[in-house]
Amino acid sequence: MKNKKFIPVLLGSDRNVYGMALAFYEGYNIKSIALGKRDARETLGSKLIIPIKEERLEEDEVFVKKLLEIKKNYEDIDLILIACSDVYMKLIINNKSKLKNKYIIPYVDKKLMDKLVLKEQFYKTCDKYGLKYPKTEICTYDDYKKYMPSFSFPIIIKPSNSVAYWKCDFEGKKKVFICETKEDMKRIFKGIYKSGYKDSLIIQEYIPGDDTKLRVLNAYVDSNHKVTFMALGQILLEEKAPKEIGDYGAIITTYDKKLMNKIKDFLEDIKFFGYANFDFKYDERTKEYIIFEINIRQGRSSSFTTLSGYNITKYLVDDVIYNKKRKIEYLTDKHLWNVVGKHTILKHLKDEKLKGEVKYLYKQKKASNLLFYKKDMGLSRLKNVLILYMRTIQRYNKYYK
């Protein structure tokens, strides 16, 4: 059974894809198929992947057809289907019945997806399980012109349906808006709803605190709905560029068993299956973790677990390929993950204690930059990585305050 053949099929071409491909290569010495709409520098020139491009991949019929075509070339090999963005996650789940006999699909069903991904539904679920979230209101297309929040500014504005939102375009578009005044709010509403987006907007109170108050939690839940892995990271730097807000540039591993076990109980009780990714912020006023959202897939920065010595793919492979049941494992080792480099971290990080920890981890060789994976540094790859790296540093210097 240990020699059973399998190949991951990663959907996308970004940092998430590269992190997963690195993990599969490191853990099993196999290349992943990377099926995406376009080339991206994060994966371009990598020897860890077999790239396949389909510009119309986000169309249901094309999506299913392309995946069935790929399977014909690997009839005797198990293929594990892994989404690396919300769009592909939704496409997998919506087309599960057409793909389940050809692919291993480690995802929840549509009913649970809607309950977790649509934010107004997710917050109702949080109420049931005692998970704290920001004061939240819903603004709809029908009432946005007269809407006023019941809590004070600044406020957060974000789409309830992120998949629909990213299909629209307008001047000043951001992943998440921090809105200081009523006038700012009205301008943002107008831009969003004139773009063709018609779903609800989530309006939330702003939780004070810099990036270091943010936390990211990764988990794997096996096919018996048991959590077998959990890892918690403290954010050091978060992207500030408009369309990258919410992506992380540097993470240091941390540990909070109380929080992790609360999420463990939640995932097991709702009968979850697959990777889960949570974003939190620690509220100094109440001394509680405030949950923002769940991704029902691994997050873009989930490679921090692999580079910390806990390969995120082994929990999935042991479950769906080898049918091996595992006891829960927590990431407890200290490690620094980043894509921005030591100089940028120390330049923009304000917390002196954390700066000292960063310097110590670099000295102890417990720091890793995802982009510079030593086993994947051919000339073509190196060129793309250096361009990507320099652009990332320039973004941080431009937008980070």
Side-chain angles (χ1 to χ4, degrees), residues 84-123:
C84 295
S85 75
D86 288 339
V87 172
Y88 296 127
M89 172 269 296
K90 192 172 182 179
L91 280 165
I92 289 173
I93 293 173
N94 285 343
N95 292 285
K96 225 182 206 184
S97 61
K98 300 173 185 175
L99 298 168
K100 65 181 181 181
N101 293 327
K102 300 294 183 180
Y103 285 85
I104 295 171
I105 303 177
Y107 291 94
V108 300
D109 60 22
K110 188 177 186 305
K111 183 179 179 181
L112 186 53
M113 175 185 74
D114 290 342
K115 189 176 180 181
L116 297 175
V117 171
L118 295 175
K119 290 184 176 62
E120 55 261 57
Q121 295 298 320
F122 175 57
Y123 292 134

Side-chain angles (χ1 to χ4, degrees), residues 48-65:
L48 309 184
I49 66 169
I50 303 164
I52 301 176
K53 191 162 60 173
E54 172 51 67
E55 293 180 357
R56 295 170 55 202
L57 188 59
E58 293 179 11
E59 299 173 25
D60 274 275
E61 290 185 8
V62 176
F63 178 77
V64 172
K65 182 180 178 183

Side-chain angles (χ1 to χ4, degrees), residues 291-350:
I291 192 168
F292 289 154
E293 66 179 354
I294 178 176
N295 291 306
I296 57 174
R297 54 172 175 80
Q298 75 288 347
R300 291 193 77 216
S301 59
S302 292
S303 55
F304 86 82
T305 65
T306 300
L307 297 181
S308 299
Y310 292 71
N311 191 316
I312 195 171
T313 61
K314 71 179 181 180
Y315 309 95
L316 167 69
V317 172
D318 278 354
D319 178 30
V320 302
I321 297 295
Y322 300 133
N323 197 30
K324 178 181 177 182
K325 302 311 170 191
R326 304 180 64 100
K327 292 182 178 179
I328 188 167
E329 189 172 7
Y330 299 91
L331 194 164
T332 55
D333 296 345
K334 275 288 181 182
H335 196 88
L336 170 64
W337 170 99
N338 74 95
V339 292
V340 296
K342 180 180 178 182
H343 176 77
T344 300
I345 297 172
L346 295 176
K347 178 179 180 179
H348 297 296
L349 185 61
K350 307 302 181 188

Side-chain angles (χ1 to χ4, degrees), residues 232-281:
L232 186 64
Q234 178 178 10
I235 310 309
L236 301 184
L237 299 179
E238 181 190 39
E239 282 272 9
K240 305 301 179 189
K243 293 187 179 180
E244 279 80 27
I245 291 173
D247 291 342
Y248 303 134
I251 298 171
I252 195 165
T253 53
T254 187
Y255 182 72
D256 188 313
K257 195 167 185 180
K258 181 180 177 182
L259 172 65
M260 296 162 96
N261 282 344
K262 192 168 189 176
I263 298 301
K264 171 184 174 292
D265 293 343
F266 165 70
L267 289 168
E268 291 182 348
D269 197 63
I270 65 172
K271 304 298 181 185
F272 193 85
F273 175 37
Y275 290 116
N277 170 257
F278 295 82
D279 291 316
F280 301 89
K281 192 168 188 180

